[in-house]
Amino acid sequence: MLLRRVVEHVRKQEWTAIGIDFLIVVIGVFVGIQVSNWNSARFARAEEQRLVSQLLADVDTEISQKSAWLDQTSIRLETFREAVGKLQADGAAAELTRAECESAAYSHIIDIRVASLPTLEEIQFSGGLGMLSDPELRHALLRYRSGSETLGASYDFVRGDFANLVDSYGAAFPRRLAAEKALISDVPISSRVECDTAAIFADANLQNRLMSNLARTQALIDYGEFEIELLTNVRNALNG
């Protein structure tokens, strides 16, 4: 209808009317584009708020789980350290508690992984960190992403380098079937291990491997603490 009216105005050379019709068309196009942009911006803001809320839940969950792992592993490490200390101080006559014996024998069994943040993966696949408007949050996520890649490789390397003492040194760590579960609460062990401190003291290689496993356990704890620091930086940026 508007086009037919413009054609009639051109035939009659009504230039003022033509200008008005043209202006109406331009304004209509402009308003249409602006409405589209406003709707897109509103959708982007809503989507960002959804992702930020989900990401905060992911981060809180991982900090809680990693903190629990740190607490548990730190207790195991302290018990392990006490066992090694007794062996070094008392030698063949050392008397280890059941917990101390198991902490040494099963020192190679440690489960740790890099935190899983599904929402961060969704952000990366959806449009990248550029879709987040907060520069502090983008920086925290970039730092976390870079650090987590390094931590993943470090976790795998250290875990793969532990010595399986209970299988490699059967004379020092004899085992038998037992109905009760071992004291290492995160490991379902159906056999009970005993520690022959005389056999341990007589084997310098075994003692060195105990010290190596002790140091590797401490390294995993240090890496876990650094990962919590990275996750906490992300949570602070999300709450800021």
Side-chain angles (χ1 to χ4, degrees), residues 32 191 200:
S191 61
I200 296 173

Side-chain angles (χ1 to χ4, degrees), residues 100-115:
E100 289 169 346
C101 176
E102 289 180 352
S103 70
Y106 298 125
S107 56
H108 64 289
I109 304 178
I110 297 183
D111 182 27
I112 186 171
R113 59 173 178 78
V114 175

Side-chain angles (χ1 to χ4, degrees), residues 5 124 162:
R5 190 173 63 187
Q124 292 171 339
F162 272 88

Side-chain angles (χ1 to χ4, degrees), residues 49-213:
Q49 290 173 357
R50 180 186 71 83
L51 292 171
V52 166
S53 178
Q54 281 187 190
L55 184 57
L56 180 58
D58 291 347
V59 170
D60 283 341
T61 297
E62 288 297 336
I63 289 178
S64 176
Q65 292 178 351
K66 191 72 66 176
S67 296
W69 177 90
L70 276 175
D71 292 341
Q72 185 179 66
T73 307
S74 296
I75 293 173
R76 284 183 56 184
L77 176 62
E78 186 56 33
T79 305
F80 185 15
R81 185 177 286 114
E82 290 173 358
V84 172
K86 285 183 179 181
L87 289 167
Q88 291 180 341
D90 302 331
E95 294 185 5
L96 303 182
T97 66
R98 183 184 171 197
E100 289 169 346
C101 176
E102 289 180 352
S103 70
Y106 298 125
S107 56
H108 64 289
I109 304 178
I110 297 183
D111 182 27
I112 186 171
R113 59 173 178 78
V114 175
S116 175
L117 300 179
T119 305
L120 178 56
E121 296 179 9
E122 181 181 353
I123 291 172
Q124 292 171 339
F125 283 115
S126 298
L129 297 180
M131 66 188 302
L132 301 175
S133 58
D134 186 350
E136 182 179 351
L137 175 57
R138 292 198 302 269
H139 176 74
L141 288 172
L142 283 171
R143 185 165 179 248
Y144 169 77
R145 188 171 62 183
S146 175
S148 64
E149 292 174 357
T150 302
L151 283 170
S154 298
Y155 285 152
D156 291 342
F157 175 78
V158 174
R159 287 179 59 199
D161 208 31
F162 272 88
N164 184 340
L165 302 179
V166 71
D167 286 346
S168 300
Y169 299 92
F173 300 105
R175 288 187 295 179
R176 63 183 176 81
L177 290 176
E180 69 273 21
K181 184 180 177 182
L183 290 181
I184 302 177
S185 60
D186 60 334
V187 181
I189 298 173
S190 59
S191 61
R192 180 166 180 175
V193 65
E194 297 177 357
C195 291
D196 187 330
T197 56
I200 296 173
F201 185 73
D203 194 326
N205 185 48
L206 170 53
Q207 293 182 55
N208 286 340
R209 287 180 176 269
L210 279 169
M211 293 299 296
S212 294
N213 280 8

Side-chain angles (χ1 to χ4, degrees), residues 23-56:
L23 185 60
I24 291 173
V25 172
V26 171
I27 292 175
V29 171
F30 175 78
V31 170
I33 293 174
Q34 285 298 106
V35 170
S36 177
N37 289 342
W38 289 334
N39 287 335
S40 297
R42 184 174 59 181
F43 174 79
R45 287 194 300 271
E47 181 67 4
E48 181 181 2
Q49 290 173 357
R50 180 186 71 83
L51 292 171
V52 166
S53 178
Q54 281 187 190
L55 184 57
L56 180 58

